[in-house]
Amino acid sequence: MGVEGKEKHKILEAGALALSGQLGATIQRLRKAYNLSLSELSLQSGVAKSIISQIERNETNPTLATIWRLAQALDVSIERVLQTTEDEPFLEKVSKADTPILLSDDGKCRLAIIGWIKTVEWLQAYELSADPGGVLESEAHQRGSVESLSVREGELEVEVAGAKETVKAGETLRYRCDRAHTIRNTGKAQAQATMICMLKAAVME
């Protein structure tokens, strides 16, 4: 470690000591902002669940290495973790131009990916726009996965394993998506909906 690295190390250690009183609240606020449980943050950071719980309750003084692992799991810099105040909100804006768009095979359905890339393996969020006659076919996701479709405009038909259900504006349909499933716009107007895919939902028997 060079002189610059040593100085940075000292600064970070001093910051950790000075801000230890608010560190727990900061970690907890960031964890909840990302909808992570203690177990999930533990899994992603490699820090024991009991240690994270103690940090959030300000019952322990974590090492710099522990703070660094938590910062990495929360996708923020260690400096930000140490410098963040309790009333500073987490804000991350993505422009319309930077929002990825997926198209169905027939080109009539568009999925705007509005979910966070860090959660893509267990939680995905999309804005669905389907023209009349549009069909969105999806392969089966991992076992236990559940999808939630909330229609804002128009109506959509969902088919899962031969079972069909129509969802109209203002309605929400939840269904197993661990088998092939299809969404169709059988109406005469464009349909708009928000779709949430939970890839680690409890297995439904």
Side-chain angles (χ1 to χ4, degrees):
M1 181 183 292
V3 175
E4 181 181 352
K6 288 182 179 179
E7 290 303 315
K8 184 175 182 180
H9 183 78
K10 290 179 180 179
I11 292 172
L12 291 176
E13 283 190 329
L17 180 61
L19 297 173
S20 59
Q22 75 173 50
L23 179 62
T26 297
I27 294 296
Q28 185 180 70
R29 177 176 54 76
L30 289 171
R31 175 174 65 80
K32 290 184 176 180
Y34 299 156
N35 293 317
L36 291 174
S37 66
L38 285 170
S39 297
E40 289 166 339
L41 181 55
S42 174
L43 182 63
Q44 293 187 26
S45 67
V47 178
K49 177 180 175 181
S50 59
I51 296 298
I52 298 175
S53 179
Q54 289 175 7
I55 292 173
E56 292 189 353
R57 297 196 304 270
N58 292 318
E59 294 178 351
T60 185
N61 291 319
T63 64
L64 188 61
T66 295
I67 299 174
W68 183 85
R69 287 198 295 269
L70 290 172
Q72 291 293 301
L74 293 168
D75 197 31
V76 296
S77 68
I78 189 169
E79 289 89 348
R80 179 179 172 186
V81 171
L82 295 176
Q83 295 173 1
T84 299
T85 57
E86 291 185 24
D87 58 352
E88 182 182 346
F90 167 72
L91 297 172
E92 181 181 87
K93 182 170 70 173
V94 179
S95 69
K96 182 177 181 180
D98 291 332
T99 301
I101 304 293
L102 303 177
L103 289 178
S104 59
D105 290 340
D106 61 9
K108 294 183 178 181
C109 296
R110 293 163 294 283
L111 279 176
I113 303 176
I114 60 173
W116 193 32
I117 189 64
K118 290 283 288 185
T119 69
V120 71
E121 293 184 356
W122 56 276
L123 182 67
Q124 302 171 2
Y126 307 91
E127 287 293 339
L128 170 64
S129 175
D131 295 332
V135 178
L136 179 64
E137 297 181 324
S138 301
E139 297 295 328
H141 300 308
Q142 68 188 59
R143 182 169 171 76
S145 299
V146 173
E147 223 162 63
S148 177
L149 184 71
S150 298
V151 178
R152 297 191 307 278
E153 298 179 17
E155 62 180 60
L156 295 167
E157 178 188 80
V158 177
E159 180 177 357
V160 183
K164 297 180 181 181
E165 186 67 56
T166 298
V167 199
K168 299 181 179 180
E171 297 180 335
T172 295
L173 179 68
R174 299 182 183 90
Y175 48 92
R176 296 186 64 156
C177 58
D178 56 359
R179 53 199 66 189
H181 49 289
T182 303
I183 299 175
R184 302 183 182 88
N185 183 351
T186 56
K188 297 181 180 180
Q190 186 183 74
Q192 301 280 345
T194 298
M195 184 168 65
I196 305 296
C197 184
M198 296 162 279
L199 297 175
K200 291 187 178 179
V203 175
M204 301 171 60
E205 298 296 347

